Amino acid sequence: MNTVKLNVNGKEHELPLIEGTEGEKAIEISGLRSSTGLITSDTGYKSTGSTKSAITYLDGENGILRYRGYPIEQLAEKSTFLEVAYLLVYGNLPGKVELDDFVSKITRHTLIHEDMKKFYEGYPAKAHPMGVLASMISALSTFYPEAQKSDLDPEEVDTTIRRLIAKISTIAAWSYKKSQGFPVMYPQNRLNYCDNFLYMMFAQPTEDYEVNPVVSRALDTLLILHADHEQNCSASTVRMAGSSHASLYAAISSGVCALWGPLHGGANQQVLEMLEQIRKEGSDVKMMVERAKDKSSSFRLMGFGHRVYKNFDPRANIIKKVCDEVLEELGTDDPLLDIAKSLEEAALSDSYFVERNLYPNVDFYSGILYRAIGIPTEMFTVMFALGRLPGWIAQWKEMRDNNEPISRPRQIYVGHTKRDYVELSNRG
Ligand code: CMC
């Protein structure tokens, strides 16, 4: 079966069926409007494929996640974040020479222009770090205007990619330092990506700072787990913004904003805030579960459910283990962790959650892990952005390399039909 037949008012139209390498099938409807005058309607894109992509394979029913064909479990165990970044962006695992070159270039791009430091002085002390991140990334385009050219030069694109991956960690760590009123710490080329980030976050000029290797490796794993997730809200935003040929910086800044929302990356911050609220209200997890089931309230259990994982989130399984290791290493005794465990148990044995396949997602555990590492709650979504950056870049690059047209969905108009303007004096 290579086509499907559509009967419109007695007239048959044949639509091609396309099939992905993992056997996923889709009806190709790009010619639908011209042949039938109809469009499709699918708010939230629950049944709509927006592109063909060779980056990430995700099977939500069976809890499978692969980057460029490699299972997430293998990458999380054996690879590093920068190697995964290379894999996502360029399509294959790098050889030693390529990896060394990629890592060294990223290491050497971590400084940000000194003038950008002044921007931090303009943000209010309570500025959310995601707002700072989005605007600082957007500001990078003003320092590197060559990235705005519509005709892409592959070498310039590579430099922009390296600049972004390198500078995002400095921008993120400095936004934290500034929010605390601490002096910023300059990146250290002798340190690897995660060690350097932890150093810029937690070192002080007044004392020695040693990176804990268990913490650094846990962070690296977290970034790997977040590195891509196919056509999610922020990746689609990056592709959509980039489809107008806006610069890569502009597209990534749009992605940061899309990630910020509590239904997407913002959920990890909300998880911690929810656990804190449960603690303040007497640690009654059952009451929270009941509140989440109550349809008259908009409250949801944050960190539960997923648009595509309807069985389990493979990232959550990995991060749960890493989380236990870090808590043991640091000897953390965190009451919020006990609440998280009871909440997980209560929800997983509740028919409402079981029937709707609502399982803990990656954000449920990542928040707990970030907290144990000492990352402040407001920075959680920034950490997600750090991890997701290579995925966004890969999605943008694929879209541009494939010469995809500008994204421009249709709509079904449901507003007023034509009506005549009424003078202000005649409007009751
Ligand atoms: N708590 C309580 N009820 C829920 C929850 C939840 N966390 N999630 C979904 N439901 C219910 C929802 O009310 C609906 O019930 P009914 O069928 O009776 O109307 C049903 O489950 C299906 O939910 P949906 O909203 O149609 O599912 P969706 O695919 O549109 O939403 C989601 C997916 C992730 C936005 C949603 O599950 C949610 O809001 N979860 C909490 C926020 C969260 O943890 N987000 C992080 C996602 S993972 C990180 C990432 O990849 O971005």
Side-chain angles (χ1 to χ4, degrees):
M1 188 177 68
N2 296 322
T3 57
V4 290
K5 287 197 175 103
L6 181 70
N7 193 311
V8 183
N9 296 332
K11 191 171 172 224
E12 237 173 42
H13 299 266
E14 244 179 41
L15 298 169
L17 264 188
I18 52 174
E19 188 169 340
T21 47
E22 292 284 350
E24 290 168 306
K25 290 190 178 61
I27 306 167
E28 173 61 60
I29 57 140
S30 50
L32 185 70
R33 189 165 181 275
S34 57
S35 63
T36 65
L38 297 174
I39 61 166
T40 55
S41 173
D42 179 20
T43 308
Y45 308 117
K46 293 197 176 194
S47 297
T48 297
S50 58
T51 191
K52 291 183 196 127
S53 179
I55 302 170
T56 288
Y57 175 64
L58 205 166
D59 174 347
E61 274 69 35
N62 295 307
I64 294 173
L65 174 63
R66 295 183 201 134
Y67 299 158
R68 302 281 188 188
Y70 297 102
I72 190 66
E73 292 79 6
Q74 291 181 23
L75 294 171
E77 191 193 331
K78 298 179 179 164
S79 188
T80 60
F81 175 60
L82 287 189
E83 185 179 61
V84 166
Y86 185 101
L87 170 70
L88 285 168
V89 173
Y90 298 107
N92 285 303
L93 284 171
K96 181 158 177 10
V97 175
E98 291 156 322
L99 182 61
D100 287 349
D101 178 62
F102 185 64
V103 171
S104 115
K105 287 197 174 121
I106 287 177
T107 307
R108 283 187 289 110
H109 275 298
T110 44
L111 276 174
I112 58 174
H113 197 291
E114 278 295 295
D115 287 349
M116 283 191 81
K117 228 168 102 180
K118 294 185 199 138
F119 295 168
Y120 285 103
E121 284 153 31
Y123 295 113
K126 287 209 164 106
H128 195 285
M130 281 297 274
V132 175
L133 186 67
S135 59
M136 291 295 272
I137 289 177
S138 182
L140 281 175
S141 65
T142 64
F143 287 81
Y144 306 105
E146 60 276 15
Q148 277 162 42
K149 278 187 269 170
S150 186
D151 283 335
L152 299 177
D153 167 357
E155 252 183 59
E156 256 169 32
V157 169
D158 282 347
T159 308
T160 304
I161 290 171
R162 278 144 212 199
R163 279 195 179 121
L164 268 165
I165 298 176
K167 293 181 198 312
I168 193 173
S169 64
T170 311
I171 291 173
W174 284 16
S175 74
Y176 168 62
K177 287 289 193 198
K178 285 286 175 187
S179 74
Q180 302 297 302
F182 293 142
V184 299
M185 298 299 284
Y186 279 83
Q188 299 290 310
N189 286 2
R190 67 189 158 84
L191 299 175
N192 71 31
Y193 191 81
C194 284
D195 286 5
N196 183 47
F197 176 73
L198 290 167
Y199 170 86
M200 288 191 288
M201 281 287 290
F202 300 119
Q204 298 282 7
T206 44
E207 50 195 49
D208 290 339
Y209 174 77
E210 261 194 50
V211 179
N212 180 327
V214 176
V215 170
S216 179
R217 178 63 200 157
L219 180 58
D220 202 69
T221 309
L222 257 176
L223 298 183
I224 292 174
L225 297 182
H226 278 126
D228 194 54
H229 217 224
E230 51 120 297
Q231 307 311 315
N232 53 80
C233 175
S234 56
S236 303
T237 301
V238 168
R239 285 183 95 118
M240 192 174 237
S243 76
S244 73
H245 294 193
S247 75
L248 179 54
Y249 295 113
I252 298 296
S253 172
S254 315
V256 171
C257 290
L259 185 75
W260 193 352
L263 298 190
H264 192 10
N268 53 17
Q269 174 174 342
Q270 305 271 325
V271 169
L272 250 285
E273 286 169 3
M274 176 186 73
L275 295 176
E276 194 66 66
Q277 188 187 344
I278 298 176
R279 192 182 61 82
K280 277 193 198 135
E281 290 176 8
S283 303
D284 188 349
V285 291
K286 289 245 156 55
M287 185 192 64
M288 233 27 159
V289 170
E290 289 310 313
R291 203 184 289 174
K293 287 156 55 177
D294 178 2
K295 295 289 173 196
S296 66
S297 110
S298 61
F299 175 76
R300 288 183 166 199
L301 276 195
M302 298 317 284
F304 279 78
H306 201 276
R307 170 60 63 80
V308 283
Y309 292 124
K310 299 300 178 195
N311 190 345
F312 68 94
D313 180 341
R315 302 166 304 170
N317 284 2
I318 298 169
I319 205 61
K320 193 176 176 187
K321 206 168 141 249
V322 174
C323 192
D324 285 342
E325 280 163 19
V326 169
L327 292 170
E328 201 190 314
E329 162 75 15
L330 299 178
T332 312
D333 187 13
D334 188 343
L336 292 197
L337 185 66
D338 298 333
I339 295 173
K341 283 192 173 147
S342 320
L343 186 64
E344 185 187 7
E345 246 175 63
L348 290 181
S349 56
D350 190 291
S351 58
Y352 172 97
F353 285 85
V354 174
E355 279 158 21
R356 289 170 180 76
N357 294 314
L358 300 171
Y359 297 88
N361 56 51
V362 69
D363 284 332
F364 188 70
Y365 301 105
S366 63
I368 295 164
L369 185 47
Y370 288 139
R371 181 178 157 94
I373 294 176
I375 311 259
T377 313
E378 282 214 328
M379 285 284 291
F380 287 3
T381 317
V382 169
M383 302 307 297
F384 194 154
L386 239 69
R388 185 54 55 85
L389 178 64
W392 288 332
I393 293 171
Q395 298 286 344
W396 172 89
K397 191 167 179 299
E398 181 177 71
M399 183 269 307
R400 291 301 308 268
D401 287 349
N402 290 347
N403 263 325
E404 289 186 13
I406 185 166
S407 289
R408 201 329 185 160
R410 296 267 173 178
Q411 64 162 17
I412 300 294
Y413 176 69
V414 293
H416 285 283
T417 52
K418 181 176 178 286
R419 48 185 178 161
D420 287 326
Y421 181 77
V422 181
E423 294 299 335
L424 186 56
S425 52
N426 293 336
R427 286 180 224 156

